[in-house]
Amino acid sequence: MTVQDTTILRPIPRFRGVDHKTLILIPPGIMLLVFFLCPFLIMGAVSFYYRVPDGFYEPDFVLANYAAFFDPVFLTALARSLTLCAVISVVCVSLAMPFTYLVSRMRRGIQVPIVILLLCILTLSEVILGFSWTILLSRTAGVSNVLVWLGILDRPVSYYPSRIAIMIAMLHFCFPFAVLTIYPPISRFDRSLPEAAATLGAGPIRAFFTVVIPALRGTIISALVLVFVFALGAYLFPQMLGRPADWTLSVLITDQAIYKSNIPFAAAMSVFLCLICFALIVGVGKLTKKSEG
Amino acid sequence: MTNKQTLNRRQFIKRSTATGALAAAPGLYAPFVHAQAEPLKIGSWGGFFEEVLADKLYPEFTAATGIEVQSIGTPNGDAQVVQLAQAIRAGNVPLDVSALIPIPMVRATNAGIIEELDMSRIPNAKYLPEVQGISESTDGNPNGVAWFFYFNILVTLQEDYPETPTSWKELWNPANAGLAGVMAQPEISNIIDITAATYFGGPDILQTKEGVLEVLAKVAELKDTVALWYRDEAQFQNGLETGELPIGIYYNDVATVAQAEGIEIDRIFPKEGAVKNPAYWGISKGTALRDQAHEFLNYTLDPSVQSLLARNLGGGPVVPKDTTDLTDEEWDQVSTSKDTIAPAYHLYTDWGDWTATEFSRAIS
């Protein structure tokens, strides 16, 4: 081996016209195929299997699992899930945008602890957050006792199960994700733009809404989609903090898969949920392109 | 469930042929039949149950009969049946004997993985009650014996209910709005059976789907009082401990443990009846240790063993009280002399999917 061989980087050879950039995509491509596409295809196949009433399933091609989904119980749960997640993603990103913008303008010594705090929330599991909120919102130990002490309430009350309780816990859970998605583009954001707005007479709030927000439209939309999809998978919060009338489709899917062993039906509902998610993401993507064009 | 210890069939045939030849020699049969090559593999639900059985029951059994036992933890519910059925269909018998609650027992029976029993080899079965004592195969022959009963009862916190309620109707009492905890799955809470017994004079109404819908309309009224439809006992136990959920449906054995831990609750066997469910032993189809398995079943039905199980597991004995040496106090901890509710299992097996959807509709 000569010295030259080890010290001089030779250009990566091209294989039959494929350049190295494409080659780099192969490992993640295989990962996606093995860990995402294959399970999804298996789920898709199982959703057409025949459900044997005694708790098993057999390979077959039946549409009964999809037909069963068109029952008001499940359609309502679907509508409820989509509405809940849409509201959560809008509220979450609306809070995260100004928060991140303000944090990004702070001194580095303050920024870092705030980001670490947010990362700390991410280390807590859904179970721990759920149990914490059941205590905070409870009648016996929750915040209402403070309100009684302050003389605002006559006697302590329980704030869960309720839709608001689910929303609060889900916001707590999703907020760090929204901030961490928005943080890099906002910290790279060209400061001269709001400064130019200021020289033209716009106050900080007006500059934020008329200059910063429109310039970061792409970031906002990706944060919205990310939080929406993330919230759609939440299972524990609706289950722990809501009544059956608040249970999302994820809860019903889990019930079917785990407690009823109805894997084909659970798969059919999951496929449906995935398709709706996919359609929404594609739709939002198209709308953004149109508005940008 | 592990396959590591699974019986190698060929090996077994060799050994059992040898054992069988020796056993055929007159006067030698008893010790040689029991000098088995492989231990009897008994599956019970992993965790508390499996630990107690491995610790208290199996050593006594081995001492009494010379039959070695290997204790194996299993999941509960459908996963248990699915795993067992897959192994047996693949030609393995991972367990010789399994503990099965009624719905998994029906599913295992329908899947054809449970052996029919030779009742002449289980003389202690004479103690079993007529109702819920024996499980039947699809042909109507015995294929399982109950070895303990477990009860769904009403529990209340003494502090909030100084006057102990006596009826399931307390769950519907508007004064309890937002205070009750009930299991989320109808086949686990048996709330449909409870409602039928409390408001419709018994289980007859559950024979038709129209009748079930009528009962479910009454179940739907629980929406106001039930704050938590729980999937995990810990969720309800937490509610009891904090006083957040001072009333609800709970298992008698778990409630007894909660009392021992210092939570001041009343365990109530309501006047309409607590729900009584049997836990069965089933023998796997294709087991090579059929004789030993039968002997084990017979052993666990012995009144003295039933007392041991009651004291250590907290389950209700399947034999009459006077055959055991349990005191009145001990008996009342684990069982009841009052009438009980036997669940209408067809709701959760034959009509399972329909019931699940209609139940979701009722409570949401």
Side-chain angles (χ1 to χ4, degrees), chain A residues 48-184:
Chain A
F48 292 104
Y49 281 8
Y50 171 67
R51 146 81 159 170
V52 183
D54 66 8
F56 297 88
Y57 54 85
E58 286 168 359
D60 202 339
F61 188 84
V62 295
L63 295 171
N65 304 313
Y66 286 92
F69 183 68
F70 287 91
D71 182 296
V73 170
F74 301 107
L75 291 178
T76 319
L78 174 67
R80 190 189 301 139
S81 306
L82 296 176
T83 320
L84 180 78
C85 297
V87 173
I88 284 169
S89 73
V90 169
V91 175
C92 194
V93 174
S94 314
L95 292 172
M97 255 324 269
F99 174 84
T100 318
Y101 182 67
L102 291 175
V103 170
S104 73
R105 294 171 68 112
M106 288 174 181
R107 279 188 297 115
R108 203 166 172 74
I110 301 173
Q111 273 189 45
V112 174
I114 291 178
V115 172
I116 289 174
L117 194 73
L118 284 169
L119 288 171
C120 283
I121 299 179
L122 289 182
T123 64
L124 300 175
S125 74
E126 247 187 283
V127 182
I128 292 173
L129 290 180
F131 264 108
S132 311
W133 280 107
T134 58
I135 294 167
L136 279 171
L137 300 173
S138 70
R139 173 176 54 87
T140 44
V143 285
S144 65
N145 291 278
V146 178
L147 300 179
V148 171
W149 184 70
L150 291 171
I152 298 169
L153 285 179
D154 291 337
R155 55 188 183 87
V157 292
S158 177
Y159 292 114
Y160 86 99
S162 69
R163 214 156 285 181
I164 294 292
I166 302 175
M167 300 258 310
I168 292 172
M170 298 258 283
L171 277 177
H172 183 186
F173 191 50
C174 295
F175 189 72
F177 284 92
V179 172
L180 293 176
T181 317
I182 299 168
Y183 192 76

Side-chain angles (χ1 to χ4, degrees), chain A residues 51 54 71 139 260-261, chain B residues 78 107 185 243-244 353 361:
Chain A
R51 146 81 159 170
D54 66 8
D71 182 296
R139 173 176 54 87
K260 319 284 182 217
S261 283
Chain B
D78 287 323
R107 297 216 162 120
Q185 313 300 330
E244 193 70 15
D353 291 343
R361 200 190 315 282

Side-chain angles (χ1 to χ4, degrees), chain B residues 24-345:
Chain B
L28 289 175
Y29 69 97
F32 279 95
V33 167
H34 291 160
Q36 77 228 37
E38 294 280 339
L40 183 67
K41 289 188 283 295
I42 305 175
S44 58
W45 312 293
F48 175 74
F49 271 96
E50 198 240 325
E51 281 164 26
V52 171
L53 293 179
D55 200 32
K56 308 279 182 193
L57 178 68
Y58 303 153
E60 298 276 326
F61 172 65
T62 304
T65 62
I67 299 171
E68 294 290 334
V69 171
Q70 185 187 346
S71 178
I72 294 174
T74 70
N76 195 354
D78 287 323
Q80 181 187 9
V81 182
V82 171
Q83 285 185 7
L84 190 61
Q86 279 170 348
I88 290 177
R89 283 170 186 175
N92 291 319
V93 182
L95 297 169
D96 301 300
V97 178
S98 300
L100 291 152
I101 57 172
I103 298 164
M105 185 69 186
V106 171
R107 297 216 162 120
T109 302
N110 292 343
I113 56 169
I114 300 295
E115 188 111 331
E116 288 188 359
L117 298 176
D118 177 355
M119 293 311 281
S120 70
R121 296 161 97 165
I122 313 177
N124 284 334
K126 65 174 184 252
Y127 297 119
L128 288 172
E130 263 175 51
V131 180
Q132 295 183 310
I134 286 175
S135 147
E136 288 181 351
S137 70
T138 38
D139 296 334
N141 298 317
N143 74 344
V145 288
W147 58 286
F148 76 88
F149 290 121
Y150 61 98
F151 299 88
N152 288 8
I153 57 162
L154 183 68
V155 291
T156 52
L157 273 186
Q158 285 169 355
E159 193 186 337
D160 298 66
Y161 298 86
E163 205 169 308
T164 311
T166 56
S167 165
W168 287 115
K169 284 183 181 164
E170 197 62 25
L171 286 175
W172 278 264
N173 184 348
N176 294 324
L179 296 181
V182 172
M183 297 88 152
Q185 313 300 330
E187 68 275 22
I188 296 175
S189 68
N190 294 120
I191 187 67
I192 301 174
D193 303 283
I194 290 171
T195 311
T198 307
Y199 289 99
F200 298 89
D204 292 349
I205 191 165
L206 303 176
Q207 290 309 312
T208 64
K209 287 188 174 175
E210 291 73 27
V212 177
L213 289 175
E214 221 178 297
V215 175
L216 280 171
K218 189 69 194 173
V219 173
E221 292 175 18
L222 289 172
K223 275 188 282 192
D224 298 327
T225 49
V226 177
L228 177 73
W229 295 88
Y230 64 91
R231 288 173 177 76
D232 187 317
E233 281 156 46
Q235 274 181 288
F236 182 56
Q237 177 115 353
N238 188 41
L240 278 176
E241 272 176 70
T242 58
E244 193 70 15
L245 301 165
I247 183 170
I249 305 182
Y250 214 23
Y251 302 110
N252 181 51
D253 47 339
V254 186
T256 310
V257 174
Q259 275 182 327
E261 283 172 1
I263 307 176
E264 292 180 347
I265 48 172
D266 279 316
R267 294 178 298 111
I268 303 155
F269 287 81
K271 61 181 181 198
E272 299 88 359
V275 181
K276 178 173 161 187
N277 278 296
Y280 294 113
W281 290 124
I283 301 181
S284 299
K285 192 152 269 183
T287 173
L289 303 177
R290 208 165 173 273
D291 297 347
Q292 290 87 339
H294 274 82
E295 194 156 347
F296 174 72
L297 266 52
N298 188 52
Y299 178 79
T300 59
L301 300 187
D302 186 279
S304 68
V305 178
Q306 283 287 305
S307 303
L308 178 135
L309 288 172
R311 290 190 180 114
N312 291 289
L313 271 185
V318 294
V319 299
K321 186 183 168 203
D322 53 22
T323 63
T324 68
D325 61 354
L326 294 170
T327 63
D328 288 352
E329 200 191 331
E330 283 176 320
W331 180 268
D332 289 338
Q333 285 266 322
V334 294
S335 191
T336 178
S337 323
K338 295 183 191 169
D339 286 344
T340 51
I341 299 171
Y345 294 114

Side-chain angles (χ1 to χ4, degrees), chain A:
Chain A
M1 204 183 280
T2 64
V3 177
Q4 257 190 340
D5 275 343
T6 53
T7 50
I8 296 172
L9 282 172
R10 284 175 298 181
I12 298 169
R14 290 167 66 100
F15 293 105
R16 292 176 197 161
V18 182
D19 67 37
H20 61 278
K21 277 185 191 162
T22 319
L23 285 176
I24 286 169
L25 287 176
I26 289 177
I30 291 173
M31 289 274 285
L32 268 180
L33 192 76
V34 173
F35 295 110
F36 174 75
L37 198 62
C38 287
F40 187 81
L41 290 177
I42 293 170
M43 187 173 79
V46 171
S47 72
F48 292 104
Y49 281 8
Y50 171 67
R51 146 81 159 170
V52 183
D54 66 8
F56 297 88
Y57 54 85
E58 286 168 359
D60 202 339
F61 188 84
V62 295
L63 295 171
N65 304 313
Y66 286 92
F69 183 68
F70 287 91
D71 182 296
V73 170
F74 301 107
L75 291 178
T76 319
L78 174 67
R80 190 189 301 139
S81 306
L82 296 176
T83 320
L84 180 78
C85 297
V87 173
I88 284 169
S89 73
V90 169
V91 175
C92 194
V93 174
S94 314
L95 292 172
M97 255 324 269
F99 174 84
T100 318
Y101 182 67
L102 291 175
V103 170
S104 73
R105 294 171 68 112
M106 288 174 181
R107 279 188 297 115
R108 203 166 172 74
I110 301 173
Q111 273 189 45
V112 174
I114 291 178
V115 172
I116 289 174
L117 194 73
L118 284 169
L119 288 171
C120 283
I121 299 179
L122 289 182
T123 64
L124 300 175
S125 74
E126 247 187 283
V127 182
I128 292 173
L129 290 180
F131 264 108
S132 311
W133 280 107
T134 58
I135 294 167
L136 279 171
L137 300 173
S138 70
R139 173 176 54 87
T140 44
V143 285
S144 65
N145 291 278
V146 178
L147 300 179
V148 171
W149 184 70
L150 291 171
I152 298 169
L153 285 179
D154 291 337
R155 55 188 183 87
V157 292
S158 177
Y159 292 114
Y160 86 99
S162 69
R163 214 156 285 181
I164 294 292
I166 302 175
M167 300 258 310
I168 292 172
M170 298 258 283
L171 277 177
H172 183 186
F173 191 50
C174 295
F175 189 72
F177 284 92
V179 172
L180 293 176
T181 317
I182 299 168
Y183 192 76
I186 261 192
S187 57
R188 281 198 306 270
F189 185 68
D190 189 352
R191 294 275 173 84
S192 59
L193 285 176
E195 278 164 17
T199 56
L200 291 171
I205 293 173
R206 190 162 170 204
F208 179 76
F209 281 106
T210 56
V211 176
V212 180
I213 297 268
L216 290 169
R217 193 173 44 211
T219 306
I220 294 171
I221 286 169
S222 51
L224 280 172
V225 170
L226 184 92
V227 173
F228 180 85
V229 173
F230 192 65
L232 210 51
Y235 148 76
L236 266 166
F237 296 128
Q239 198 259 106
M240 288 176 89
L241 295 163
R243 291 179 185 276
D246 307 319
W247 289 348
T248 54
L249 201 60
S250 311
V251 179
L252 299 187
I253 291 173
T254 314
D255 272 358
Q256 290 294 334
I258 296 197
Y259 294 97
K260 319 284 182 217
S261 283
N262 196 345
I263 307 288
F265 186 34
M269 287 200 277
S270 307
V271 167
F272 216 90
L273 200 58
C274 284
L275 289 178
I276 286 177
C277 243
F278 190 66
L280 275 173
I281 294 169
V282 171
V284 167
K286 283 223 163 127
L287 271 179
T288 333
K289 274 205 179 135
K290 229 180 228 172
S291 64
E292 276 171 358

